[in-house]
């Protein structure tokens, strides 16, 4: 018998002048057995937390500020949010996802699984690992002259 | 690099092919240039490649196996000794096919067995069961220039929890740890700068894991002292020396102990103070 679970993760952050903003995301999932619930909850929690953290950094209108903060775009491929990795890494991740028609949710899950947070929050070290893994999954090697984007035998130093 | 050690991938980039020496600096480039500018010119600028030695071949294949092992641990793959040794055999064959190995008087099978034994010793040791979370395997890092004259790049064998860089060294004899720490300072300071830039955090002290190719192989871990500001300043000063020398194409031999195992002695002998004459001679 399938078991349906519904999970919600939310966060409330304080803003200047005694104000705050909060954001929550809910998700429904189905597992085959009751024993699978803890594992699924752990997995979904990571996804939800990464999703909320990735968005809540955009505070929008903040009391006391003259201009409202720009609203973020929803399209991850044209994401204007600041990423923690380098611009080149961001561009490469977006390119790999687009060219290989990868599921963005799965890529986000992969980042959460490996590093504990979503793609936009990966630092340069973590982004390097994600890029390596994405290229491995897509069976491609980069044409860039960089070690991490090529198989071992092409990466050795003299 | 010490006489007894076989360090293959201090930069671990594809530096076996000729490239613009002013495009970036790496620990490998810096060490090569500082050890002998003419050897650096032959190796990194012209891309001359002597046949691989058996020790180099074993070291590369062992590193490939360790990469496979650490990736499997990180990504939930098969990290069993059997799978790791299989990765070693596969890498050994592929590397040999890509680049000829000069076995000289030694046996090919002995070389293969040496690598298998040292891997076995590592996999059976506590070092292979490091409980720290893996943060990166063969992690390519690049720090744009700013406080350095050129971008700094490097590939770290393994990064574990605490942003600790770990580098594997296959060595022929039990290392003198004090000497080794000194020999690998440039590499580990470079890793410190790269990780600091990549994570925005202060990296943990670097670690070296020596895989000692004795008849009874063993694995030894060395935790180096935290990198000091003096070491960072020293690396930056050495990078300035590199850029200055390379910009002027100041490549001259540095006769010394390391000439004993240098593969470029024939080409070196043609050098007579003129870069043009050297180049003509090499082309001929």
């Amino acid at each position: 018998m399938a078991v349906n679970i519904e999970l919600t993760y939310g966060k409330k952050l304080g803003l200047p002048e005694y104000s705050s903003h909060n954001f929550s995301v809910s998700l429904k999932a189905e597992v085959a057995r009751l024993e699978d619930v803890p594992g699924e909850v752990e997995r979904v929690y990571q996804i939800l937390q990464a999703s909320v953290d990735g968005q809540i950094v955009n505070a929008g209108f903040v009391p006391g500020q003259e201009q409202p903060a720009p609203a973020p775009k929803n399209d991850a491929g044209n994401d204007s949010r600041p990423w923690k990795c380098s611009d080149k890494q961001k561009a490469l991740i977006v390119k790999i996802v687009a060219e290989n028609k990868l599921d963005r949710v799965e890529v986000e899950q992969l980042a959460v699984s490996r590093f504990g947070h979503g793609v936009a929050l990966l630092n340069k070290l973590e982004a390097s690992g994600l890029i390596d893994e994405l290229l491995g999954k897509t069976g491609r090697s980069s044409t860039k002259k960089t070690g991490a984007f090529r198989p071992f035998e092409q990466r050795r130093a003299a | 690099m010490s006489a007894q050690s076989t360090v293959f991938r201090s930069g671990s980039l594809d530096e076996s092919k000729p490239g613009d020496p002013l495009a970036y600096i790496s620990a490998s480039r810096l060490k090569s240039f500082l050890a002998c500018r003419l050897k650096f010119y032959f190796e990194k600028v012209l891309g001359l490649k002597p046949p691989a030695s058996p020790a180099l071949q074993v070291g590369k294949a062992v590193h490939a196996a360790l990469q496979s092992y650490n990736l499997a641990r990180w990504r939930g793959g098969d990290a069993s000794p059997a799978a790791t040794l299989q990765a070693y055999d596969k890498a050994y064959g592929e590397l040999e096919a890509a680049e000829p190995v000069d076995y000289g008087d030694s046996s090919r099978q002995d070389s293969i067995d040496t690598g298998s034994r040292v891997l076995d010793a590592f996999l059976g040791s506590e070092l292979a069961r490091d409980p720290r979370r893996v943060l990166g395997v063969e992690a390519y890092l690049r720090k744009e220039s700013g406080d350095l004259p050129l971008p700094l790049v490097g590939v770290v064998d393994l990064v574990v929890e605490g942003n600790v860089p770990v580098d594997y060294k296959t060595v022929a004899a039990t290392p003198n740890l004090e000497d080794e720490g000194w020999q690998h300072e440039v590499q580990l300071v470079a890793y410190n700068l790269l990780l600091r830039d990549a994570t925005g955090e202060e990296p943990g002290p670097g670690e070296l894991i020596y895989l000692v190719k004795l008849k009874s192989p063993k694995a030894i871990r060395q935790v180096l002292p935290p990198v000091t500001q003096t070491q960072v300043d020293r690396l930056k000063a050495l990078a300035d020396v590199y850029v200055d020398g390379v910009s002027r194409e100041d490549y001259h031999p540095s006769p010394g102990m390391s000439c004993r195992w240098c593969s470029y002695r024939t080409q070196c002998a043609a050098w007579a103070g003129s870069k043009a004459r050297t180049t003509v001679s090499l082309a001929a």
Side-chain angles (χ1 to χ4, degrees):
Chain A
M1 182 188 70
V3 180
N4 294 311
I5 52 178
E6 184 169 346
L7 305 101
T8 300
Y9 179 85
K11 189 169 278 185
K12 184 175 185 178
L13 296 178
L15 292 175
E17 301 193 6
Y18 308 103
S19 61
S20 65
H21 76 150
N22 65 73
F23 179 56
S24 63
V25 178
S26 297
L27 191 147
K28 289 180 181 175
E30 184 178 300
V31 294
R33 303 171 305 166
L34 275 173
E35 298 91 304
D36 297 334
V37 170
E40 184 66 7
V41 167
E42 184 181 354
R43 189 179 73 85
V44 174
Y45 181 84
Q46 290 182 334
I47 295 169
L48 294 177
Q49 188 179 55
S51 301
V52 170
D53 287 351
Q55 296 299 327
I56 205 166
V57 293
N58 302 294
F61 170 73
V62 175
Q65 290 186 355
E66 291 183 359
Q67 297 292 329
K73 295 177 182 176
N74 289 328
D75 182 355
N78 298 301
D79 201 334
S80 61
R81 285 177 298 159
W83 287 32
K84 286 184 72 177
C85 64
S86 72
D87 291 342
K88 285 181 182 175
Q89 287 178 315
K90 175 184 174 181
L92 184 56
I93 291 169
V94 170
K95 183 181 173 189
I96 295 168
V97 169
E99 286 187 353
N100 296 281
K101 298 183 173 57
L102 299 180
D103 185 329
R104 287 182 182 145
V105 174
E106 286 182 8
V107 173
E108 191 74 8
Q109 287 174 358
L110 178 64
V112 171
S113 164
R114 291 282 178 272
F115 307 105
H117 38 250
V119 176
L121 297 178
L122 299 181
N123 62 34
K124 290 202 281 188
L125 170 65
E126 295 162 338
S128 177
L130 180 71
I131 289 167
D132 217 15
E133 188 160 359
L134 290 179
L135 288 171
K137 283 180 183 296
T138 56
R140 298 173 61 225
S141 61
S142 169
T143 55
K144 287 178 180 293
K145 298 289 183 189
T146 52
F149 308 144
R150 284 170 287 140
F152 173 82
E153 57 269 25
Q154 294 177 16
R155 295 164 64 169
R156 64 195 183 275
Chain B
M1 186 166 69
S2 70
Q4 65 184 15
S5 68
T6 314
V7 181
F8 308 115
R9 303 183 308 120
S10 58
S12 296
L13 298 164
D14 190 9
E15 293 179 329
S16 57
K17 295 175 184 169
D20 177 3
L22 292 174
Y24 64 86
I25 50 173
S26 65
S28 174
R29 284 186 168 188
L30 268 181
K31 286 190 70 175
S32 174
F33 179 82
L34 295 168
C36 176
R37 295 182 180 202
L38 191 57
K39 184 182 177 189
F40 168 85
Y41 175 68
F42 293 142
E43 188 177 27
K44 308 289 188 189
V45 181
L46 295 184
L48 300 181
K49 287 173 70 177
S53 67
L56 180 65
Q57 168 72 7
V58 169
K60 286 176 179 175
V62 166
H63 268 89
L66 292 171
Q67 179 185 352
S68 167
Y69 172 74
N70 285 320
L71 280 175
R73 281 203 304 146
W74 191 24
R75 297 175 182 170
D78 186 354
S80 67
T84 306
L85 289 169
Q86 192 177 3
Y88 168 74
D89 288 336
K90 183 170 181 285
Y92 198 102
E94 288 175 353
L95 288 163
E96 204 173 32
E99 194 174 336
V101 180
D102 181 4
Y103 286 104
D105 296 332
S106 62
S107 141
R108 176 178 182 273
Q109 192 57 48
D110 281 351
S111 289
I112 294 173
D113 293 345
T114 297
S116 297
R117 280 200 306 273
V118 82
L119 270 175
D120 257 339
F122 170 75
L123 294 170
S125 74
E126 284 300 315
L127 297 181
R129 290 182 284 281
D130 190 336
R132 292 172 296 182
R133 195 160 57 92
V134 174
L135 299 179
V137 175
E138 289 284 312
Y140 170 83
L141 300 172
R142 178 184 174 99
K143 178 184 184 299
E144 297 306 326
S145 53
D147 50 355
L148 287 166
L150 292 174
L152 174 66
V153 299
V155 178
V156 187
D157 286 347
L158 175 68
V159 183
V160 296
E161 202 172 333
N163 298 319
V164 174
V166 180
D167 201 75
Y168 297 104
K169 308 290 185 193
T170 47
V171 296
T174 303
N176 176 318
L177 297 184
E178 192 177 338
D179 284 351
E180 294 293 336
W182 175 260
Q183 293 287 340
H184 302 302
E185 181 191 272
V186 166
Q187 181 184 7
L188 289 163
V189 174
Y191 287 176
N192 178 277
L193 291 180
L194 288 167
L195 280 169
R196 193 185 297 178
D197 176 71
T199 65
E201 298 168 6
E202 182 60 33
E207 295 182 11
L208 298 172
I209 294 182
Y210 302 97
L211 305 176
V212 191
K213 300 180 290 183
L214 297 169
K215 283 188 177 175
S216 298
K218 55 186 175 181
I220 300 169
R221 174 162 60 195
Q222 180 184 21
V223 179
L224 290 141
V227 170
T228 65
Q229 187 57 46
T230 301
Q231 288 177 303
V232 172
D233 292 342
R234 181 179 160 89
L235 183 84
K236 290 175 181 173
L238 291 175
D240 287 338
V241 170
Y242 172 93
V243 170
D244 177 60
V246 172
S247 300
R248 290 187 289 105
E249 298 187 321
D250 179 10
Y251 303 124
H252 57 76
S254 301
M257 289 286 284
S258 57
C259 297
R260 287 186 180 177
W261 51 87
C262 181
S263 305
Y264 299 98
R265 283 171 67 164
T266 305
Q267 294 91 334
C268 180
W271 187 88
S274 160
K275 186 173 73 64
R277 191 182 304 174
T278 304
T279 306
V280 168
S281 172
L282 287 167

